[in-house]
Structures are given as structure tokens and as C-alpha cells.
């Protein structure tokens, strides 16, 4: 059994957003709001199919065009951060899927928390930059935060095998990306096309580059610290090239509990919606007899300097994670635009962490300021 949920989907045209709609469709759930940053034609098609109350395109002109196109429907169309926040807090929804990429997801997530809805969280930056604030607020408001990220869903599922005080370690698996085993010098020559070819997962561009630099794993370590309120020392990264074991929890008695499955995001998306129940769904099933050998190796943070930057930011705390995250977003965009090399991403992130003002016990404004400062620092250091 499961409750029929009414969903507001933030980021409906991205990879997670499109897969979320497949899950919503297959479960027969309702979609009451859709938002997107790009993909006007796609959000129009989605709005026609799912008939939400509200559709939001971030850009004002694009939203106006969408409004004209949807004039024959009853869908309300809005734009900008106000539109996103309205979608996040829309009364008709009991669940918000936050599948937007980047810091832009922070304010809408907080707005959704304030209405006490379930948050199916697929926006890493929210927890990385403002995790303590977000988790405290969710606790106060009684809003459940259920992770969509495959690793955190695996941890979430495995954690049910024991009490939080019985956890020895969280072990987050990493595919290692396309360049695992390469030397730092070899990475200097990585091109955009090479970095966009992920061996196991099909994802958006930002996260695919973050996987290649292993920044994605760094972000996930910080996300796990915040979500499960675990100290950094209790979190380990294991490179697992096959992406079958999605993460593990080690308990004090030495038991390792893991969640296994294919590299299909529809499964963790669905679990975030149906929890505490399970139901049949569209995700592909794992065939144990054809998945081959499972291997586990240590990561190399000296080569993958974005991973070591994330560990450093996590141990510094305060605004360090927001600085690291903001710097990475700008550096990845510059790499995708052909302006900097692959290793420059890590160099710029480390440099931003050295130079941008540090606040030890930040409020929301300090976090947003650290993010802004990091972005302009990196932008200035590219030109
Ligand atoms: Mg992940």
C-alpha cells in the first residue's frame, strides 16, 4: 500500500525531473506544479500531459511565451524566484521534488520546508551549502527530507537496519568517473567531450563533470554528514566501478548493510515518494547472475583535487562548503564553455577556499554572500 501523493516538481525538464515524471505517471500520482529553467517546449508538453495547477519558467520572457502557448488550458504560468517559491509552497502539494541543479534550489527548498511538506531532495547544493540550517528548519517544521540521490537513498534504506547510535561508518560508493586510475598530468589533457562520457550513469552536464572530477562524491560526503548528522570521520568513500552497490552502512558489530540495484534513478526517486512503503515500478531490475564481479578500491584525493577540496571544506565547516560549491559551479561552467582546462576546476576551487572571507557560524545571508563572493572570485580569476 502507499499514499497517493500530490507532487510539486521543481526542475521538471532535467534528467531527474523527466525520470520523476515517469515514476509519477507509473504510480498514478498527481503533479500539481512544474518548474524549469530551460526547455520551454518540453515543459509545455509536460503541462499538457500532467495538467498541473502551476507551471514556472525561470526566465520572464520564456514564461510569457509559455503562458501564450498554454492559453487554451487552465495552467497558471509564473516566472522567476517568486514563481519557484510559489511552486515549492503550493497548497495543493503534499510532496516537493527538488530536482533543480545548483544554489538556485536553496530558497525554494526552505519555502517547501516551511509548509511542512515531504521533500524528495535531489538538489545537493542545498545541503552542502546550508545543510545545518536546512536540517534544523526541517526538524522544527516537521518536514521529512527523503534523499533522491542514489547513494543517500542507499544509506537511508540501510540505516533502517539499526539505531543511529549503532552506526560505525557510512561508506559512500563512487563510480570513479571516466578517469579513475589516471595521473594528475594525464588529467591536464582531458577535453569536454571526454569528461561528458560517464561510464555508468546518464545525468545532466554539471553533475557529469562533477563526477569526472569526483567533486560529486565530495558533495555527497557533505550531504551525508548533514542529512544523517554524522561527523566527517565516520564517512568513507569507496570506488566501486560497477555502480551496483549504491552505498553501505557499517554498524558497530561489524555488519555491513548495503543497497544494491541497477544504475536507474527511477528506483531512488520512487522510494522517496512511496516511503515507508514499496511498490512495483518502472525501474530496471538487477540480475545478480549477470552483474559480474564487484570491486572496491580507495579513491586518490591527490589526483582528484576536487575530492580533497570537499573533505577540507567539510572539516573547516562554516561558509567553506558554500565557497567550494559556488567556485565549482562557475569553474565547471567555464570548463564546459572551453575557457579553462580540466585540472583548473580543482585549482580554482582550492584558490577560492584560500581567498574568500570565512564565516565560522553563518546565517543564511552569510551563506548566500559566501556563494556570491566565491563566484565572482572564480570569474575574475578566469579572465
Ligand atoms: Mg549520486
Amino acid at each position: 500500500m502507499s499514499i497517493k501523493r500530490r507532487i510539486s516538481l521543481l526542475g521538471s525538464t532535467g534528467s531527474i525531473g523527466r525520470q520523476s515524471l515517469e515514476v509519477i505517471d507509473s504510480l498514478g500520482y498527481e503533479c500539481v506544479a512544474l518548474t524549469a529553467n530551460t526547455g520551454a517546449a518540453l515543459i509545455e508538453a509536460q503541462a499538457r500531459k500532467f495538467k498541473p495547477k502551476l507551471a514556472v519558467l525561470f526566465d520572464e520572457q520564456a514564461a510569457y511565451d509559455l503562458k501564450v502557448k498554454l492559453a487554451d488550458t487552465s495552467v497558471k504560468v509564473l516566472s522567476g524566484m517568486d514563481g519557484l517559491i510559489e511552486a515549492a509552497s503550493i497548497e495543493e502539494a503534499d510532496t516537493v521534488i527538488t530536482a533543480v541543479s545548483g544554489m538556485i534550489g536553496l530558497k525554494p527548498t526552505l519555502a517547501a520546508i516551511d509548509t511542512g511538506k515531504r521533500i524528495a531532495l535531489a538538489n545537493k547544493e542545498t545541503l552542502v551549502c546550508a545543510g545545518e540550517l536546512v536540517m534544523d528548519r526541517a526538524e522544527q517544521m516537521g518536514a521529512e527530507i527523503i534523499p533522491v540521490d542514489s547513494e543517500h537513498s542507499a544509506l537511508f534504506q540501510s540505516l533502517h537496519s539499526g539505531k543511529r547510535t549503532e552506526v560505525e561508518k557510512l561508506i559512500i560508493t563512487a563510480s570513479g568517473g571516466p578517469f579513475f586510475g589516471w595521473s594528475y598530468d594525464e588529467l591536464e589533457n582531458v577535453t569536454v567531450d571526454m569528461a561528458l562520457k560517464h561510464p555508468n550513469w546518464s545525468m545532466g552536464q554539471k553533475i557529469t563533470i562533477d563526477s569526472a572530477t569526483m567533486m560529486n562524491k565530495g558533495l555527497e560526503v557533505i550531504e551525508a554528514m548533514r542529512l544523517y548528522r554524522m561527523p566527517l570521520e565516520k564517512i568513507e568513500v569507496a570506488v566501486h566501478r560497477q555502480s551496483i552497490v549504491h552505498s553501505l552502512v557499517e554498524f558497530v558489530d561489524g555488519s555491513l548493510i548495503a543497497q544494491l540495484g541497477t544504475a536507474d534513478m527511477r528506483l531512488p526517486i520512487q522510494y522517496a515518494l512511496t516511503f515507508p512503503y514499496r511498490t512495483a515500478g518502472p525501474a530496471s531490475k538487477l540480475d545478480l547472475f549477470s552483474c559480474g564481479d564487484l570491486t572496491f578500491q580507495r579513491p586518490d584525493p591527490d589526483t582528484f583535487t576536487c575530492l580533497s577540496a570537499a573533505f577540507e571544506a567539510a572539516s573547516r565547516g562554516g561558509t567553506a562548503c558554500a565557497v567550494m560549491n559556488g567556485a565549482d559551479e562557475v569553474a565547471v561552467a567555464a570548463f564546459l564553455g572551453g575557457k579553462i582546462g580540466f585540472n583548473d576546476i580543482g585549482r580554482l576551487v582550492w584558490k577560492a577556499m584560500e581567498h574568500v572571507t570565512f564565516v565560522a557560524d553563518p546565517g543564511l545571508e552569510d551563506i548566500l554572500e559566501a556563494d556570491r563572493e566565491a563566484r565572482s572570485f572564480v570569474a575574475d580569476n578566469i579572465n
Side-chain angles (χ1 to χ4, degrees):
M1 104 177 235
S2 74
I3 303 158
K4 191 172 177 206
R5 295 198 164 266
R6 295 153 65 88
I7 292 160
S8 169
L9 172 56
L10 311 185
S12 68
T13 58
S15 172
I16 296 290
R18 284 179 274 124
Q19 295 180 77
S20 295
L21 285 173
E22 282 180 46
V23 172
I24 290 168
D25 200 21
S26 104
L27 296 175
Y29 287 2
E30 203 181 328
C31 190
V32 297
L34 292 168
T35 84
N37 190 22
T38 54
L42 183 54
I43 197 172
E44 185 197 344
Q46 292 172 340
R48 289 192 181 281
K49 177 164 183 195
F50 290 90
K51 303 183 174 53
K53 300 261 179 303
L54 173 66
V56 178
L57 263 176
F58 199 75
D59 180 74
E60 204 175 326
Q61 182 60 44
Y64 179 78
D65 295 344
L66 180 67
K67 192 174 179 170
V68 171
K69 285 188 176 138
L70 290 174
D72 61 318
T73 70
S74 61
V75 181
K76 180 177 161 187
V77 177
L78 292 173
S79 67
M81 185 50 84
D82 290 346
L84 261 179
I85 288 175
E86 184 155 336
S89 47
I90 190 168
E91 207 190 317
E92 286 85 351
D94 53 40
T95 304
V96 178
I97 303 178
T98 57
V100 296
S101 166
M103 259 304 260
I104 194 172
L106 178 57
K107 281 183 176 170
T109 304
L110 288 170
I113 287 172
D114 285 345
T115 59
K117 300 182 198 304
R118 170 179 290 190
I119 320 280
L121 189 77
N123 173 262
K124 291 183 188 195
E125 292 78 4
T126 299
L127 284 183
V128 168
C129 301
E132 279 153 333
L133 216 122
V134 166
M135 293 308 290
D136 287 349
R137 182 99 69 107
E139 219 169 271
Q140 271 168 27
M141 300 305 300
E144 294 172 289
I145 296 191
I146 318 269
V148 163
D149 209 347
S150 60
E151 294 80 0
H152 303 85
S153 178
L155 293 172
F156 183 73
Q157 295 180 57
S158 304
L159 280 165
H160 289 123
S161 284
K163 294 197 176 67
R164 221 38 86 79
T165 50
E166 297 164 350
V167 173
E168 178 71 28
K169 217 191 280 173
L170 305 180
I171 303 167
I172 302 181
T173 55
S175 72
F179 312 124
F180 180 70
W182 290 36
S183 70
Y184 189 79
D185 289 344
E186 286 168 332
L187 289 179
E188 294 283 5
N189 303 315
V190 164
T191 64
V192 173
D193 283 345
M194 288 158 78
L196 283 176
K197 285 200 185 76
H198 194 277
N200 303 348
W201 295 94
S202 157
M203 308 174 286
Q205 286 201 338
K206 160 76 167 46
I207 187 172
T208 303
I209 301 303
D210 279 345
S211 294
T213 62
M214 291 195 78
M215 174 57 93
N216 183 52
K217 213 44 57 180
L219 298 176
E220 290 181 354
V221 166
I222 300 166
E223 211 184 339
M225 286 173 70
R226 305 298 180 236
L227 257 180
Y228 304 119
R229 301 197 188 261
M230 285 283 163
L232 185 60
E233 311 79 69
K234 286 199 166 197
I235 304 182
E236 198 169 69
V237 172
V239 175
H240 167 53
R241 301 293 283 158
Q242 299 81 22
S243 298
I244 300 274
V245 177
H246 296 308
S247 279
L248 316 88
V249 175
E250 183 183 326
F251 287 95
V252 284
D253 60 359
S255 277
L256 283 170
I257 308 290
Q259 188 256 347
L260 285 70
T262 56
D264 188 333
M265 286 306 294
R266 290 173 299 183
L267 201 154
I269 291 168
Q270 176 174 311
Y271 190 65
L273 301 179
T274 63
F275 171 80
Y277 307 106
R278 291 183 187 272
T279 155
S284 53
K285 295 228 164 62
L286 174 67
D287 174 14
L288 261 191
F289 302 104
S290 63
C291 71
D293 293 340
L294 304 182
T295 58
F296 301 91
Q297 291 159 277
R298 285 186 199 285
D300 174 6
D302 295 330
T303 301
F304 292 88
T305 56
C306 284
L307 183 61
S308 52
F311 271 89
E312 176 65 21
S315 71
R316 284 187 203 174
T319 47
C321 295
V323 169
M324 174 207 68
N325 179 74
D328 179 61
E329 272 192 45
V330 177
V332 168
F335 172 69
L336 284 167
K339 290 187 190 138
I340 59 170
F342 187 76
N343 282 342
D344 292 328
I345 301 172
R347 276 187 210 117
L348 287 164
V349 168
W350 271 102
K351 210 167 162 188
M353 283 167 52
E354 277 161 37
H355 288 91
V356 174
T357 325
F358 176 76
V359 180
D361 188 18
L364 183 59
E365 272 316 309
D366 301 312
I367 290 166
L368 295 173
E369 178 53 31
D371 173 69
R372 274 192 294 270
E373 223 184 293
R375 283 167 197 272
S376 63
F377 176 86
V378 171
D380 291 347
N381 276 271
I382 287 169
N383 298 321

